Amino acid sequence: MKSRTKVVVIGGGIAGCSTLYHLTQEGWSDVVLVERNELTSGTTWHSAAQVTNFGMNQTMVGLKSHSIKLYQELAADPDYPINYHHGDGGIRLANTEAQMQGYRHFASMARGMGVEFEILDAAECARRHPLITKDRLLGGLWDGQDGDIDPAQLCQALARRARNVGAEVYRNTPVTALTQHKDDTWRVHTEHGDIDCDIVVNACGYRVNEVGAMMGVHHPVASMEHQYFLTEPIKAITDFGKRVPLLRCPIDDFYSRQEKQGLLVGFYEQGCKTWGLDGIDPNFVNALCPDDLERILPVLENVFKRMPVLQEVGIHTVVNGPITYTIDGAPLVGPIPGKRNAFCIIGLRAGLGEGGGHGWLLAQQIVHGEACYDTWVIDPRRFSGHANVELTALKAIEDYQNEFRFHFPHEHRPAGRPAKTTPLTPILDALGAEFTVVNGWERMDYVKPSPDFHPSLSFNFDEAFELVAAEVRNLAENVGLTEVNGFNRIEITGADRHSFLDRMFCGAVSKREGRVGLGYLLNDYGMIKGEATVANLPASDRGPARVWYGSAAASEFHDMDWLTKHLRPDEDVQLRSLTNDYTILVLAGPKARAVLSACTRGNWSAVAFPWLSVRECFIGYAPAVVMGISFSGELAYEIHVPNASLYAAWLALRKAGEAHGLKLFGARAVESMRMEKGFLHWKADLLTEFDPFETGLARFVKLDKGDFIGKAALVKRQAEGQRRQLVTLKIAARHAPTRGGASLMHEGAVVGTVTSADWGHRTGLNLAYAYVQPAFCNIGTKVILDMYGDLIAAEVITPSPYDPSFSRMRS
Ligand SMILES: Cc1cc2nc3c(=O)[nH]c(=O)nc-3n(C[C@H](O)[C@H](O)[C@H](O)COP(=O)(O)OP(=O)(O)OC[C@H]3O[C@@H](n4cnc5c(N)ncnc54)[C@H](O)[C@@H]3O)c2cc1C
């Protein structure tokens, strides 16, 4: 066994084997995999091993396409062929028009990744699958790439290829401890000796938190028991003459695929069970949980209606095994929060289908620091402190119960809520707020007219449309107030804070005390990594001269990680998170100044406190930091208040607002207004797949300012010419917004992809942002939008269609 290597991958299921193989593909062959037992002896060996191309976003579709391509290549390898039933085809069923609309969106989204799904009616579903009835069936989505693979052969093939180019695999070698050296490299302690390495990867399946504990972290992953059975041969299958397609059924909570001449049928029962929360028997190896068919009886009744043949056929094997779920259902693939040189590929609940792609994206991140797609949807840093074991278990149960039911727009399921609140949450609740969830925070979405107001789950504009319109109208005419909780805030002190930030941002960073600037952080490839405001607070009785770095609520761990990673040991810079200590109250609208003046001392005139100013003050007697920043396009103030004083500040603002028509507004109103202003959202529109020029942010780039992270790459990219351009579109439809991922077409070819969309209540425009090919970026260019299967006219318009001169927010 080696005593030193570059990377130690812990765990020899599909996650570990795929990572090891792809590390070698990225050029690193001095890499090692250690497995406590035999390869695939965790969950992988007993997987149903279905491999689909269907995904909820383009990153997932892209990584699944990679799996399929790789598995096809492995299956065709004459040296070590493996069993892969590729292209049996699969149907996701639906019994509501809303589900069908969702499928049409996912088909439009996948087309942008070169993947074609078909939308079928009920008759066509039944024609393609000989065993199903049309009972309660409206139609489905057809994935022609669907199939299944032999999991053990797949892992052996990947490990074999990795070994062939120098990687080593140590079986029966349990990792017992992990020690991090002072230089952030690792020592992996195993039962057979220690291995020093630069980087460790946790790929330990349901034992993820045993290995997590060895490095002092808890991962938001919980296991569920999951069952399928295998039937005796079915004559109709033999008679069909070809393999029957796979089925995934959100109506009756089951899936099935052909296994020999019978079926494999798996279930997602409501009375489901978590597994291993209180520890896992060390001898649970190549093992299963006891059969528990009782648990699936309630589901079985409907499954029999869908596939009557199952009532007549015998069951010869039951498989009940642990399957991992994360707190939001998507895997955790990337850097481990709070650790250096440590990565994970965990929480895979469809790991056979996805594993090839996840290992590919993880290896790219490890070797190059970034992957070819923006990987935020699978980034382990996407949730911060609240993601504990109890909450994860609740969300895992909820997700399991809804396995094939995708989330609708604005759908936030109830388990584990509220997780993160402020002193205002119960107050807003009592005032009728409907909440949306942002990184666990309950954030006001809009104010309901009555407690029993529940808009329908739909991709169309819902019943809250007019309520949001009214919130926007009052804000534009008078003044509105909302709470923005969870906003990421890092206090940066030290003599070198400005030179540090200068290096981090691609544009000019304001150093003037009392001023706020907006800037962008790039990665080493010149692509957008982050967006933040930089507010320069002068020294006062509240602290020394300091910068408040502010960014999106979800970026709490991500941004701290990025900033601390780039701190130099000789730099006098200190970073302190204030995210959980303060909350923002946003006061916006033409009468905002009057309200602020009525509850504070000081001069708030446009001359004394112009747009992009920052000042410490008191709201009534509540200490606050006020910034002249607007995300709505109206005159607006961000009022940052310590949580202990939040209610006091709220009362003072509400009272002062009475005379000025102050009303509440929520996140939906903000979304509508920011679309009208050309303002972008991190990880919706601001992605690592585009540079700042492509994102339309040239005014925030200063190439002549000296070196900054990503500069050399950006200059090179600029010389090579733009590949995409972010544009604003108006869409010729009134019934629905489009959605991120939808494809823009020209003469039958995809020419762009939507990133954000909403109705602009002040402009009366149905708006979207999209990245398009350069030939389609000029104002007035007309394209066709595939919006839920309908081909709708869309036109490129000038960004910021509301108040294009920005005079209102500067007033
Ligand atoms: C019944 C069932 C049906 C499924 N059907 C499908 C399906 O149809 N399609 C699909 O895509 N997915 C399916 N899945 C999910 C899929 O099987 C898993 O996502 C996948 O196998 C997880 O692989 P993994 O490598 O993450 O974990 P595992 O396969 O559990 O591998 C983890 C490995 O880490 C090792 N390990 C743990 N601790 C240590 C340590 N301390 N030192 C060294 N090694 C260690 C373990 O021994 C194990 O081999 C199914 C799962 C179940 C339970």
Side-chain angles (χ1 to χ4, degrees), residues 168-186:
E168 297 193 3
V169 175
Y170 306 132
R171 293 173 296 126
N172 301 307
T173 306
V175 170
T176 51
L178 292 164
T179 312
Q180 190 156 28
H181 300 299
K182 282 210 172 71
D183 64 355
D184 286 338
T185 62
W186 291 88

Side-chain angles (χ1 to χ4, degrees), residues 10-17 34-51 173-176 203-208 210-211 214 224 226-228 248 255 257 268 285 319-324 345-354:
I10 311 170
I14 178 61
C17 293
V34 282
E35 162 56 48
R36 78 199 284 275
N37 308 108
E38 291 294 338
L39 294 185
T40 75
S41 56
T43 289
T44 297
W45 71 276
H46 60 74
S47 178
Q50 299 156 108
V51 180
T173 306
V175 170
T176 51
C204 288
Y206 51 74
R207 293 190 190 275
V208 47
E210 293 177 7
V211 173
M214 294 178 199
M224 304 292 299
H226 175 48
Q227 267 179 126
Y228 63 74
R248 293 178 187 80
Y255 58 83
R257 68 163 173 83
Y268 290 100
V285 176
V319 170
N320 185 19
I323 185 166
T324 52
I345 173 164
I346 52 177
L348 271 58
R349 78 191 209 214
L352 264 300
E354 298 172 4

Side-chain angles (χ1 to χ4, degrees), residues 199-275:
I199 292 165
V200 285
V201 178
N202 183 345
C204 288
Y206 51 74
R207 293 190 190 275
V208 47
N209 278 313
E210 293 177 7
V211 173
M214 294 178 199
M215 60 169 78
V217 299
H218 174 81
H219 298 283
V221 176
S223 296
M224 304 292 299
E225 283 189 22
H226 175 48
Q227 267 179 126
Y228 63 74
F229 61 54
L230 299 169
T231 72
E232 301 290 354
I234 296 172
K235 184 169 175 306
I237 290 184
T238 317
D239 292 348
F240 192 50
K242 54 180 180 179
R243 289 179 61 81
V244 296
L246 290 83
L247 269 189
R248 293 178 187 80
C249 185
I251 315 165
D252 303 319
D253 298 317
F254 79 102
Y255 58 83
S256 82
R257 68 163 173 83
Q258 182 168 337
E259 175 67 21
K260 301 204 169 69
Q261 290 306 302
L263 283 178
L264 178 157
V265 189
F267 305 90
Y268 290 100
E269 65 284 2
Q270 294 300 301
C272 53
K273 261 169 86 177
T274 56
W275 182 85

